[in-house]
Structures are given as C-alpha cells and as structure tokens.
C-alpha cells in the first residue's frame, strides 16, 4: 500500500490533467428535489452484491433490498380495483412522509411502481385535489402525519385508504384519527390499517440504517432527562422489522454497555410478543402459514454502542465513498453536488444537483471503496478511451442511448471528483489523512511538528520560508486533536500548547465536557479519568482515551466481532469433535471461552431460551448493529475482518453519519452537561 501522503497527492496530480476536459463531457441536467424522479430515487438496484477490489465478500443467504421489495410487492397487490370493469388492474396513489420516502426509494424503483399501477407518488402533505383512485399511505404515526391523514379523510380526497404505519404506535392514536367519522363511512373508506415490518432503509443488500437521525445525541439527551424508553423502543422495533423481513432467528450478543443491553433486552421481549401473535413470523413460508424447511445455520446478531470506537468516526479518509460522505454528504445513497452558479442576484439555477449512487452506475460500483488516485485514473481512462466493455450488452437501450447514459455517469463523477479535489487542496485533507493514520498505527510516536503545523493552519513538512496556508475548518482541527487526545499519551503541557491552536481556530470545545460525562457515567470505559483542567475546558493525564482503531484504521468493533467469531468457531469445532453436535446436550463450550465471551457480551437465544452452545451449530454469517450512528469505513472494516474467517456479514446502524455530523452531536451532548 502506498504511503498516505503519496496516495492523496497522486490523486491531485492526476486530476490536474483532467480538469481542462470537464467542459467536453455530456452535461447532466438539473435535478430538483421536487422532481418526481428524485422523490423515489431509483432504489439500490437488484444486481449482485458489489465486489470490492481486494476483498472477496462472502455471500449472505438473503438480500435486504430483495426481501423488502418482495414484501412491498405483496402489499401493492392487495389493493382492490375501484372499478371492477377495468381490465388494466388497480390504479392507485402512494403518499409517504420523509422517512418512508427513504425506505421506499431504496426498496423499489419508480418503474416497478408503474408496473403495479401506481399513477403518482408524493409527500403526504402535497395532495390537494381529489382523485377517483385508492391511496396507499406509508408513514410514521405522529401528530404531524395524523393531522395530514385526518385532513385527507375530511376532504374525501380518495376513494379508499390503505394505511401502512411504522411500529410501534399507540392504538389509541389510530383511534383518535378516525373518531370523528361515522362508523359506516369509515368502513366504506378505510380498507386497511396495518403495521408493516419493513421500517428500515436498505442501503445495500448487506447494509441498512433505521433512519433515526441524530441518534447518538438523542440517546444521551434522553438518558439525561431519564426518558430513554422511546428511543430504545424505536431501535428495538427497527431491528425486529429487519429480522421479520429477512426471516432471521439470530443468537444475540450484546456488548456490555448501557444502550446495547437495553436494546437487546427489549428486542428479546418484542420477539417473544411477536411469536405469541404468529409463531411463524420469523420463518420463510410458502403460503403465509406453513413454514418452509430452512437448513441455513442461524446467524449471530452483535449489538454494540457507538462508544466502542470514536476515532473511526472522526478520521479523515482517502477512499472515494468516505471522502464524498465527508466533503459533500451522502443521504440515502444520494449525493448533492454543488454547481457553479453565476454571480448574479437574479440567478434561479439550483445550488446543487443530486446524483443517485446506485448499482446502475458501474463506475460507482467499481470505485466506491477505492482510493482517490485509483478513482481518478479510472475516470481518466474512461474519458480518454471508448470502452465498449463498459456498455452493458444485456441492456435493451439502443447503442446511442447507452452511450448517452454512460456520458451522464462520467460527467456526474467528473463533477464529484472535481469538488473533492478542491476540498483536498483547500483544506489540506491529504496531510490530515497522513498524520491521523500514523497516530492510529503508531500512537506512541506522533509527529508533533506535523500536528502543530496542521492545527495552526499550514501544510506539513514545508520549510519555514515556504510554508503554505490552508483553509482547514475548525472541525478538521478538532477531529485531529481528538484522535491525538484519545490515542496518545502526552504530557499535559504539550497537550495544552496544541489545544491553543484548536481553540484559536474556533472549534467547539463542548465535546470535552461530554467525554468527562461519559467517564463519570461508567468508570469502566476504556479511557482515563481526567485529572486536571485548564480554563475549565480541557483536561489531561498520562492515561489517555483508548477507543482507537489500529493500523490501516481497522475499527475496534471489527476486531472485537472478529475475535468473538473466532472464539465461537473454535469452541463449536472442539465441541463437534467431542460429539456434542450429535445430540450430547451435556457438552458445553469450554469454560475459558464462555468466560471470555461473558466478559465482553451478554448473550442469549431469544427464540428457544437455549444455551448458546445448543443454539449454534456453526457461525457462517453475522449481523453487526451499532446504536448511535455508523459510517462506511466501519462497515468495510467489519466486512474485511469477517471475510478473513469465512463469515458473511450484514452491517446496520441507527443512522449513517459523516465525521462533522458526529462531532456536532458530541458537542450538543457536551453543552447539555
């Protein structure tokens, strides 16, 4: 692997050759948020799992996207024609709130909606006129959506209503919506009101989020108020939806931390409640009643808290997708690309256009986890040569349309790469990446001179007379300093000297108050109790925060899960050799393994209340879920770590967040005390 500095600088040098040619690429049209196409952005695609260069990811026995799409297609087929004489099937409308727009956009494509007779789809508050068709409404039930549903009923906007609500919700809330309507009218208009078990966002076949925005700060703020039950309820409900949709019956391993244990216990209770309502809820069935025979080994579900690894959430990265997420932002697989507007007061052109990062984009599939120089080189090759092999031979489009579509893809990525290059150059992100990577790989020997250069706003390793000023942000400085603070053992005086640059750069120092609060809440957290305060802000001690990853930024969570899997695999193999897997129920996992697992995890089988040794025959696939936010780098680290031991993985979190978003949440928690 090339040194960090070389990796980023190679990208800038190569990109300089491309910038003059940007004007000759086919222009991408302006895409507004209000466009029908953008409301449901085309889904994740139905292709095979993305093959990451250098990583051979094991195949999961299921696809999140396909499982969700299958449930949605069943739901769409239940809508009855409003006119039995019609021969083209049931035409219908779909309305959704912002959360369900994201859920639907990743699970089904607009074209597929048309095939199911959907004549239009829109936000739940956009409808004004009346249409002689039924409507399917998808929403989280709250005061806002309840009011919108009620107003639509009062206007008699549609012929019939099919409500699909996110759980959990209070039945009395549903009753309140319709209490004003006569029972006869309600029976004639309200065709169904059900809870759908697909309330999660499938970002890929093996990656999902629950769409619980700002979850980290909300969890800690709710705990401060003593009212955390609603957050735990939403997280556990989301996980239950994933298990039901994908027909999974996992053995659960909850990290020994506050939120992970609470979510796991609530999830166990919900599983038992669901089994009481329908015993085959988690089984694949042919007719909805009789289960199919499924000989796939049961998965493990690891539930962890964000506290397990802070640096991986703050580190500057050089891979394509993490860089886009950091510099431009990715929301539900869509990037907002800034446009160059004319400096005119009456300009009406949009500030951004939006590009879906989907499997239909073959450039994205190949490069999403590659380093920026390799991305630039591939882009240069594609712009310079007409690669016939890049045009899908199975596509029904004519050759000229294929070429036009390919041009739009390359133009979009040209604009993305150009914006990234500008950010790298302006903020000195190559230097931040290099310094932080060395801190994470060699925490006992940080380059203090380079750190001081960056914190004071200069490029590193440049002679004094040739120093180059950079426009790094206050967050860039704070992220570097936090990684240093968490990973390295430095003298108080040196830390305070470096912190002066952070404070002078305008960084929000409230984050340190939150770190103190975490330690006060749980003395077993793996970082040192601060012993001294300077100006009431920063503390220092010879014992530092140690929540860091290792060389190549492999996350602590990836290492922890990999170790768990290895322990289970070895113990189950030993048990099988002793004959325990053939019916000898008295055989247990070795006591040393049970002790090691119980030191880090609370484990149980929520389906049969069996011992772990009896519930697992083998470990072939794992779902790893993080309370409080995750990112793409952590997902890739977990995939790589488990692929090394022959285990496929699925990554989930409450919400996918960028480093700046995570830092902002830490500061919010710090200000709250």
């Amino acid at each position: 692997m090339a040194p960090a500095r070389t990796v980023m600088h190679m990208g800038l040098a190569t990109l300089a050759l491309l910038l003059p040619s940007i004007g000759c690429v086919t222009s991408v049209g302006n895409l507004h948020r209000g466009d029908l196409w953008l409301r449901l952005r085309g889904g994740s695609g139905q292709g095979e799992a993305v093959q990451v260069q250098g990583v051979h990811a094991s195949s999961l026995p299921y696809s999140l996207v396909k499982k969700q799409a299958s449930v949605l297609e069943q739901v769409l087929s239940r809508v009855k024609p409003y006119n039995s004489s019609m021969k083209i099937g049931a035409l219908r409308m779909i309305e959704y709130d912002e959360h369900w727009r994201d859920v639907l956009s990743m699970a089904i494509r607009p074209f597929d909606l048309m095939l199911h007779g959907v004549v239009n789809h829109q936000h739940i508050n956009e409808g004004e006129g009346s249409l002689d068709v039924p409507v399917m409404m998808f929403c989280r039930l709250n005061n806002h959506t309840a009011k919108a549903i009620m107003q639509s009923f009062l206007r008699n906007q549609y012929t019939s209503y099919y409500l699909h609500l996110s759980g959990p919700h209070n039945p009395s809330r549903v009753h309140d919506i319709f209490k004003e309507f006569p029972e006869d009218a309600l029976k004639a208009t309200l065709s169904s009101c059900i809870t759908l078990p697909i309330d999660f966002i499938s970002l890929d076949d093996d990656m999902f989020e629950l769409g619980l925005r700002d979850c980290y700060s909300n969890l800690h703020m709710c705990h401060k108020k003593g009212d955390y039950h609603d957050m735990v309820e939403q997280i556990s409900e989301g996980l239950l939806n994933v298990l039901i949709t994908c027909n999974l019956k996992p053995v659960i391993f909850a990290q020994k931390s506050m939120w992970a244990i609470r979510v796991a216990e609530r999830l166990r209770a919900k599983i038992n409640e669901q089994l009481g309502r329908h015993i085959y809820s988690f089984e694949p069935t042919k007719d909805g009643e009789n289960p199919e025979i499924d000989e796939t080994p049961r998965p493990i579900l690891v539930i962890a808290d964000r506290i397990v690894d802070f640096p991986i959430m703050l580190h500057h990265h050089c891979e394509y997708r993490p860089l886009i997420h950091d510099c431009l932002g990715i929301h539900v697989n869509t990037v907002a690309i800034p446009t160059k507007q004319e400096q005119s007061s009456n300009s009406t052109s949009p500030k951004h256009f939006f590009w879906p990062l989907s499997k239909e984009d073959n450039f994205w599939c190949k490069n999403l986890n590659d380093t920026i120089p390799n991305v630039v080189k591939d882009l240069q090759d594609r712009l310079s040569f007409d690669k016939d092999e890049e045009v899908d031979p199975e596509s029904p489009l004519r050759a000229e349309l294929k070429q036009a579509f390919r041009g739009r893809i390359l133009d979009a990525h040209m604009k993305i790469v150009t914006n990234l290059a500008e950010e790298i150059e302006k903020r000195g992100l190559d230097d931040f990446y290099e310094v932080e990577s060395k801190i994470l790989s060699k925490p006992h020997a940080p380059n203090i001179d380079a750190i001081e250069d960056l914190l004071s706003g200069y490029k590193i390793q440049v002679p004094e007379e040739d120093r180059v000023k950079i426009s790094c942000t206050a967050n860039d400085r704070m992220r570097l300093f936090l990684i240093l603070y968490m990973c390295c053992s430095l003298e108080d005086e040196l830390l305070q000297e470096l912190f002066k640059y952070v404070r002078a750069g305008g960084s929000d120092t409230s984050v340190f108050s939150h770190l103190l609060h975490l330690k006060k809440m749980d003395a077993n957290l793996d970082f040192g109790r601060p012993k001294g305060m300077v100006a009431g802000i920063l503390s220092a001690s010879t014992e530092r925060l140690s929540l860091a990853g290792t060389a190549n930024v492999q996350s602590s969570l990836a290492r922890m899960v990999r170790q768990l899997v290895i322990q289970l695999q070895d113990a189950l193999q030993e048990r099988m050799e002793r004959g325990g897997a053939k019916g000898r129920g008295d055989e247990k996992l070795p006591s040393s393994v049970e002790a090691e697992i119980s030191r880090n995890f609370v484990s149980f089988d929520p389906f049969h209340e069996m011992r772990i040794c009896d519930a697992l025959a083998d470990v072939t696939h794992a779902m790893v879920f993080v309370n409080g936010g995750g990112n793409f780098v952590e997902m890739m680290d977990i995939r790589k770590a488990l692929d090394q031991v022959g285990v496929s993985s699925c990554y989930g979190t409450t919400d996918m967040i960028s480093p700046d978003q995570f830092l902002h949440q830490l500061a919010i928690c710090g200000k709250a005390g």
Side-chain angles (χ1 to χ4, degrees), residues 502-515:
V502 178
R503 188 159 43 187
S507 298
D508 190 338
T509 58
S510 302
V511 60
F512 292 101
S513 299
H514 179 57
L515 298 183

Side-chain angles (χ1 to χ4, degrees), residues 127-363:
E128 294 181 355
S130 298
L131 290 174
D132 191 23
V133 294
V135 64
M136 305 177 71
M137 289 185 169
F138 299 84
C139 63
R140 281 178 169 172
L141 194 59
N142 52 41
N143 291 334
H144 181 70
T145 54
K147 182 178 179 181
I149 294 172
M150 188 179 299
Q151 289 177 344
S152 180
F153 258 78
L154 289 171
R155 293 198 304 267
N156 202 18
Q157 193 171 356
Y158 301 103
T159 58
S160 58
Y161 288 75
Y162 294 78
L163 302 186
H164 305 88
L165 308 176
S166 295
H169 59 264
N170 190 338
S172 63
R173 176 73 65 83
V174 179
H175 178 266
D176 289 342
I177 296 177
F178 306 110
K179 64 182 180 182
E180 298 182 12
F181 299 93
E183 185 174 349
D184 292 342
L186 191 59
K187 286 182 178 180
T189 307
L190 183 61
S191 298
S192 68
C193 181
I194 61 173
T195 299
L196 274 183
I198 57 170
D199 183 15
F200 58 92
I201 301 170
S202 297
L203 300 176
D204 207 335
D205 292 327
D206 60 354
M207 178 170 52
F208 70 93
E209 63 167 290
L210 300 185
L212 300 175
R213 306 303 170 200
D214 301 322
C215 188
Y216 182 89
S217 56
N218 287 336
L219 276 172
H220 288 273
M221 296 289 283
C222 290
H223 181 267
K224 177 178 171 59
K225 299 174 182 177
D227 183 21
Y228 52 82
H229 300 287
D230 185 55
M231 287 299 300
V232 171
E233 192 76 7
Q234 290 184 63
I235 297 171
S236 58
E237 184 74 17
L239 279 173
L240 180 71
N241 287 333
V242 174
L243 300 185
I244 293 175
T245 300
C246 297
N247 308 123
L248 300 176
K249 299 170 65 177
V251 176
I252 296 176
F253 294 82
Q255 177 196 0
K256 280 194 170 180
S257 56
M258 179 170 52
W259 301 114
I261 293 177
R262 286 172 176 166
V263 168
E265 292 290 351
R266 187 67 189 114
L267 177 59
R268 172 157 64 175
K270 285 181 172 291
I271 289 173
N272 290 331
E273 293 169 4
Q274 184 65 29
L275 289 172
R277 289 190 290 266
H278 196 305
I279 193 171
Y280 298 135
S281 295
F282 302 89
E283 308 277 0
T285 60
K286 294 181 179 179
D287 53 10
E289 295 294 335
N290 300 312
E292 297 178 354
I293 298 176
D294 184 8
E295 297 181 353
T296 306
R298 293 177 62 186
I300 64 171
L301 168 60
V302 180
I303 302 176
D305 285 346
R306 183 66 277 153
I307 191 66
V308 75
D309 195 350
F310 276 6
I312 200 167
M313 300 297 295
L314 300 169
H315 182 37
H316 293 81
H317 295 278
C318 72
E319 294 84 6
Y320 195 34
R321 180 161 56 178
L323 260 177
I324 295 175
H325 198 200
D326 191 353
C327 298
L328 302 178
I330 296 176
H331 176 73
V332 194
N333 290 358
T334 301
V335 57
I337 307 173
T339 59
K340 307 298 182 183
Q341 296 190 75
E342 297 180 4
Q343 301 299 320
S344 173
S345 58
N346 59 356
S347 175
T348 59
S349 59
K351 295 181 180 180
H352 299 85
F353 76 85
F354 301 88
W355 183 257
L357 303 171
S358 72
K359 289 182 179 177
E360 279 74 15
D361 183 341
N362 54 17
F363 182 87

